[in-house]
Amino acid sequence: MASLRNQVIIAGVGESDIGKVPHMTGVGLNAQACKRALDDAGLTLKDVDGLLTAYTMTEPYFMLGTVVAEYLGIQPRYCASVAVGGGSPAVMLKHAAEAVLAGHCDTVLVCAGENRATGQTRDSAVAALTIVGHPYFENPYGPLIPGFYAMIARRYMHEYGTTREQMAAVAVNGRNHALRHPNAHMTKPITIDDVLNSKPIAEPLNILDCCLISDAAGAFVVTRADRAPDIANRPAWLLGIGEFHTHEHLIAAPSLTEFGCKQSGETAYGMAGLGPADIDFAQLYDCFTIVPIIEMEELGLCERGEGGDVFARGDTAIEGRLPVNTDGGLLSHAQAGAGGGIFGIVEATRQLRGDQGDRQVKRHDVALVHNEGGILSSNCTMILAREAR
Amino acid sequence: MSGELPSPIVNADSQPYWDAARDDRLVLQKCSGCGTVRFFPRYLCTECGSEKVEWVDSAGRGTVHSFTIVHRAAFPEFQERTPYVVALIDLEDGPRMMTNILGDDALDISIGDAVEVCFEARGSDGAKVPQFRRARS
């Protein structure tokens, strides 16, 4: 596999307005995020010759890549829609980097997100989420996405002793960080007890163990590393990236405690020539509170079975040993369809610049971002850095 | 659980599975090449690639690998039945499958508990879905 190390940069990042944004469409939110990402990079739509996006479940569009290009009024030479659920943004970065490295295009605009909060009713949003279930051999039993992750959480608790309190600490960690973010969906503090006493959805997961349903989109610009001197803001350098896909449906998962994060992480570390000890901070995918605990362990950022305690003892706070989800994550910053993971990439790029005020992490040379889609089915890990190395 | 809950969707891969369920039989695909028993039904063996397959009767027994108790369902017909159990069962035959746990003691289920297959009518044309309850013996 060709190394992507030091070959491309994230030249700019942007977020749409986040929360309940009823005056904007889903594609409009993407356009807003794209505009902000290009402004951040000091580039314009005329500089874009590649476009990648994911999919939408709120608006009746089929070929969303060309739909977004058409909406923006651009004619890219490279364009596609990627559908690996929450793993899509990181996988799109990898595909964009590969396309740039292969010379297919120079500057790829990547965006994802939807008007999930106001573009559909709450019940239809929940119903839409059931399409992740196997239509023939899971859905007859009335599972739902929180239920799938609840079965993983139950098994993880059984094998490794992870506790409800430790999972609640993941939610509190994210909320504490969101309170310092000017654009986060959630703005009120929560406690461990709030999470433990919130409404049960699928045991052992309560509503505050589950990610948000937001109107939100994010975007970033990928271009050749030799263009870094022309970029308005400090870019983030891609050091390593890897993906791994083990299954789609939970009935076909090889394990309920070991997933493809390990393999995607090993590929990313190998390409970067770095290991877990080199990571200054991490943006992990936190669709449910059990997930970043598993990811942290699989990615080698702590020992197996230790992830829950790492959150509970505060190591993951912005002032902690290994800050995690410094924007609040999907639990407290934003989650909108395939867009959830894109905000981890946006936030990592911003933190690497070092100008995030009271949200800024102290050590900000090397970041890890992990996205996953399905039921920990599609995993993609990337390592970004403040400088080429 | 019964009534308005979804009926099975039958296709070319799964026709024998759902036909057998109508007769209160749980059947699984067994590879004629390497003998691997697989779930869900599909065209080829994921172990050896063989396209030759036979359908065999399952022992209908297994243990609970994990489970959840659903309090907020995605659809109204399931919401009426909350709280209900969704579980993953490790069959004695080898594969893992998803099910509800039925019975008055369903909500007390634990990982590792022994379960046995039963069948639940869906719709009005005789269709049934395999379900599991605590093993009686």
Side-chain angles (χ1 to χ4, degrees):
Chain A
M1 180 169 56
S3 177
L4 300 166
R5 180 177 174 180
N6 294 329
Q7 299 286 338
V8 302
I9 52 173
I10 298 176
V13 295
E15 296 178 354
S16 71
D17 295 350
I18 285 173
K20 291 188 176 169
V21 194
H23 59 283
M24 292 183 68
T25 63
V27 176
L29 290 167
N30 278 273
Q32 185 184 49
C34 286
K35 172 78 169 125
R36 290 172 177 175
L38 289 166
D39 287 349
D40 186 49
L43 298 172
T44 72
L45 284 168
K46 294 199 179 348
D47 297 305
V48 174
D49 60 357
L51 187 136
L52 290 175
T53 190
Y55 51 87
T56 174
M57 288 164 57
T58 58
E59 294 173 338
Y61 294 122
F62 173 44
M63 300 153 54
L64 197 64
T66 41
V67 166
V68 171
E70 170 187 273
Y71 189 102
L72 295 170
I74 62 173
Q75 297 176 335
R77 66 182 73 236
Y78 177 82
C79 184
S81 314
V82 172
V84 283
S88 303
V91 167
M92 289 194 285
L93 173 56
K94 179 163 171 281
H95 291 194
E98 289 164 344
V100 167
L101 185 61
H104 299 314
C105 51
D106 284 329
T107 302
V108 184
L109 185 57
V110 181
C111 63
E114 294 181 62
N115 53 341
R116 275 278 174 102
T118 64
Q120 59 188 353
T121 67
R122 188 168 180 80
D123 281 347
S124 72
V126 173
L129 293 175
T130 62
I131 68 163
V132 175
H134 196 292
Y136 310 130
F137 296 102
E138 293 182 343
N139 286 351
Y141 303 104
L144 60 168
I145 292 188
F148 295 131
Y149 282 95
M151 285 186 267
I152 291 171
R154 175 93 59 187
R155 187 73 201 183
Y156 219 83
M157 295 165 78
H158 178 77
E159 289 194 24
Y160 293 109
T162 304
T163 67
R164 290 281 298 112
E165 289 75 11
Q166 290 171 340
M167 288 158 57
V170 174
V172 173
N173 177 73
R175 185 60 57 92
N176 289 343
H177 296 170
L179 297 178
R180 304 189 198 182
H181 193 295
N183 197 30
H185 192 162
M186 290 292 112
T187 57
K188 290 183 181 148
I190 56 170
T191 65
I192 299 285
D193 281 345
D194 290 338
V195 182
L196 295 177
N197 296 323
S198 63
K199 189 171 69 170
I201 301 295
E203 294 181 36
L205 301 179
N206 290 351
I207 186 81
L208 289 178
D209 291 290
C210 304
C211 63
L212 304 169
I213 298 174
S214 312
D215 296 328
F220 57 84
V221 183
V222 177
T223 194
R224 298 197 318 265
D226 62 10
R227 296 196 61 190
D230 306 327
I231 300 305
N233 252 313
R234 173 183 283 278
W237 294 71
L238 178 64
L239 297 188
I241 188 163
E243 60 186 296
F244 203 73
H245 311 267
T246 51
H247 61 281
E248 169 67 10
H249 303 105
L250 195 61
I251 50 171
S255 163
L256 259 58
T257 52
E258 293 183 24
F259 299 92
C261 327
K262 186 168 186 290
Q263 290 89 341
S264 67
E266 284 171 354
T267 302
Y269 288 131
M271 191 182 288
L274 297 174
D278 299 304
I279 304 302
D280 292 331
F281 64 97
Q283 311 296 339
L284 304 177
Y285 200 83
D286 60 340
C287 48
F288 299 93
T289 50
I290 187 64
V291 176
I293 292 173
I294 295 173
E295 290 167 344
M296 177 171 282
E297 297 175 14
E298 291 238 298
L299 293 165
L301 296 169
C302 66
E303 296 297 316
R304 183 67 81 168
E306 191 196 5
D309 196 41
V310 171
F311 280 92
R313 68 185 182 228
D315 285 4
T316 53
I318 283 170
E319 296 79 10
R321 179 182 62 82
L322 179 69
V324 171
N325 293 357
T326 54
D327 63 347
L330 282 69
L331 289 162
S332 284
H333 172 266
Q335 161 59 356
I342 207 165
F343 301 107
I345 300 170
V346 169
E347 175 69 1
T349 301
R350 288 173 170 168
Q351 289 282 352
L352 289 169
R353 290 174 182 166
D355 58 0
Q356 294 304 303
D358 73 345
R359 208 174 77 254
Q360 179 61 47
V361 300
K362 198 181 297 176
R363 293 186 301 127
H364 54 94
D365 291 325
V366 180
L368 180 148
V369 183
H370 186 86
N371 284 183
E372 66 96 350
I375 314 299
L376 280 155
S377 317
S378 288
N379 286 276
C380 188
T381 311
M382 71 181 72
I383 296 169
L384 303 173
R386 182 176 163 83
E387 295 171 341
R389 52 192 288 166
Chain B
M1 292 198 227
S2 63
E4 303 158 12
L5 296 177
S7 295
I9 301 169
V10 180
N11 65 20
D13 284 336
S14 65
Q15 181 85 50
Y17 179 89
W18 295 114
D19 284 350
R22 287 172 177 264
D23 298 331
D24 291 351
R25 289 167 51 233
L26 176 63
V27 296
L28 300 169
Q29 285 182 322
K30 181 178 183 182
C31 175
S32 303
C34 70
T36 300
V37 177
R38 64 181 183 254
F39 187 82
F40 49 92
R42 66 195 89 175
Y43 173 72
L44 47 66
C45 176
T46 53
E47 292 299 315
C48 76
S50 171
E51 297 159 281
K52 293 195 171 64
V53 65
E54 59 180 319
W55 288 88
V56 296
D57 280 298
S58 166
R61 291 187 301 270
T63 56
V64 175
H65 186 75
S66 193
F67 69 98
T68 181
I69 300 173
V70 175
H71 291 265
R72 190 184 189 289
F75 298 104
E77 59 270 29
F78 280 108
Q79 187 63 33
E80 288 174 15
R81 286 153 176 90
T82 55
Y84 61 88
V85 178
V86 179
L88 287 165
I89 304 301
D90 289 333
L91 296 173
E92 284 181 10
D93 315 278
R96 181 174 297 163
M97 61 184 290
M98 193 168 284
T99 184
N100 299 124
I101 302 294
L102 302 186
D104 294 341
D105 50 2
L107 296 180
D108 301 326
I109 202 81
S110 295
I111 287 176
D113 283 356
V115 291
E116 63 187 18
V117 74
C118 56
F119 292 85
E120 178 187 44
R122 294 283 179 99
S124 54
D125 71 344
K128 294 178 184 176
V129 294
Q131 292 279 23
F132 282 79
R133 62 188 178 205
R134 282 179 184 280
R136 296 284 192 260
S137 50

